[in-house]
Amino acid sequence: MGLHLSPIEVVEDISKEDFREKYLLPRKPVILRNMAKKWPAYQKWTMDYMKEVVGDVEVPLYDSSKADPSAPINSSAAKMKFSDYIDLIKSTPTDLRIFLFDPIKSAPKLLEDYISPKELMGGFLDKYPAMFFGGKGSQTFIHFDIDMPHIFHTHFNGQKHVLLFDYKWKERLYKLPFATYALEDYDISNPDLEKFPALDGVEGIECILEHGDTLFMPTGWWHYMRYLDGSFSISQRAWDESLAVKAHSLWNLVVQRNFDNFMKGKFKNKYMDWKERKAVERANYALKKGLPK
C-alpha cells in the first residue's frame, strides 16, 4: 500500500556517452556527485557569502498556502530584503521560500563560480540560471516545470528531500487541468490514501540531496522538494532535442498559462472548484483503468 518509491541512482563521474545512453535518452533521473565539486561555488557558496555578494535587494517570498484562485500563477506571499531573509533561514525554521530568483543580476561575479555541464549535453537555455532558497521545513508542492526543460539542480549548505515521478503518472497525481501542478489538498510525502486513493501504487524515485549534489531531472518529471535545512539550490536548464517537447513547452507558456490566468481572473473560485473536481474525476478514472500501463 502507498507510493512505490525507489532510491535514485548515484554516480560519482560519468562520460558524455554513458550519460546520454543511461539517463538522457531514457529520461531517467540521476545524482551526479562530483560535478559541482569542480566549481569554485563548491567551496565559496555559503549563506554568508551569498548574503555578502547579493546584499539588500528586495526579493519575493512564497509560503505553503494553497494557491489564490484570483491571483496569477507564481504570485508571492510577501517581500523581504535578501540579506534579512538569509538571516531568517540561518536562525529558524520557516515555510518561506525564494522561488526562481536570479541573484546574478545583483551579483554578476557569481557567474564565475559555476560551470554549465556542456560536457554532458547541449541545449542550455541561458547563462542566468534560477536559484531557490528555503527555510528548514519549507516545501515546494508537487509540479513539473512549465517550459519542459531538462534540469541540472545543484544543492548547497544542507539537505533537501526530493520525490520524483514520471510525467505519465500525471492523472494519478491529481493534475489540475490547464496547470503544471497538482491538487494541493494532499501531502505527497505522507498521502492520505483513503481521501486520495489514486495515489496508491504510484511509482516514484526518492533522494536526499547533500551539499554539492547535482540532481538531473529529465523533461516533464514531477518533483516535490522539502528543505531539511535552511539551504539553497541552483538550476541550469537545457532544451530536449525533441520537437514535440519543444512544442509542448510553447503550448504551456503561450496558450495554457494565459488561458488559465484569464479564467482564474474571470471566474475565480468557480473555475478553481471545477479544476479540482476534474482532477479528482480523472484520477479516479485512471485508477479504475489501471493507468498508466
Side-chain angles (χ1 to χ4, degrees), residues 105-241:
K105 290 182 178 179
S106 301
K109 63 186 298 184
L110 294 174
L111 283 169
E112 303 170 3
D113 294 341
Y114 69 90
I115 304 167
S116 294
K118 294 180 180 178
E119 75 279 5
L120 296 181
M121 65 173 294
F124 284 88
L125 299 176
D126 54 49
K127 66 178 181 179
Y128 296 104
M131 293 191 74
F132 306 83
F133 295 73
K136 181 179 179 179
S138 62
Q139 60 182 328
T140 303
F141 287 117
I142 187 167
H143 69 286
F144 65 95
D145 282 32
I146 192 169
D147 52 343
M148 304 290 289
H150 296 297
I151 301 172
F152 291 82
H153 185 79
T154 304
H155 194 61
F156 295 91
N157 284 267
Q159 292 185 321
K160 182 188 281 188
H161 180 213
V162 182
L163 299 179
L164 301 164
F165 303 92
D166 193 296
Y167 185 77
K168 68 181 181 180
W169 292 100
K170 59 186 183 297
E171 284 86 9
R172 294 276 294 275
L173 291 170
Y174 295 85
K175 177 187 179 298
L176 294 172
F178 305 110
T180 59
Y181 57 97
L183 200 66
E184 295 176 309
D185 297 324
Y186 69 84
D187 178 1
I188 189 63
S189 66
N190 185 29
D192 185 335
L193 299 179
E194 291 188 4
K195 291 184 178 180
F196 304 99
L199 297 173
D200 191 17
V202 170
E203 298 172 0
I205 294 174
E206 183 174 29
C207 65
I208 301 291
L209 294 181
E210 307 273 358
H211 176 79
D213 284 348
T214 299
L215 169 63
F216 170 66
M217 289 188 290
T219 175
W221 273 72
W222 290 78
H223 42 284
Y224 159 88
M225 299 185 177
R226 181 186 294 273
Y227 290 81
L228 303 182
D229 304 289
S231 50
F232 61 93
S233 306
I234 183 172
S235 281
Q236 298 170 273
R237 311 158 84 79
W239 281 114
D240 186 76
E241 296 175 351

Side-chain angles (χ1 to χ4, degrees), residues 65-92:
S65 60
K66 192 172 180 178
D68 181 353
S70 65
I73 191 170
N74 295 339
S75 296
S76 62
K79 293 184 178 181
M80 183 182 293
K81 289 182 179 179
F82 179 79
S83 57
D84 292 339
Y85 176 75
I86 293 297
D87 287 339
L88 175 67
I89 65 173
K90 283 176 60 180
S91 62
T92 186

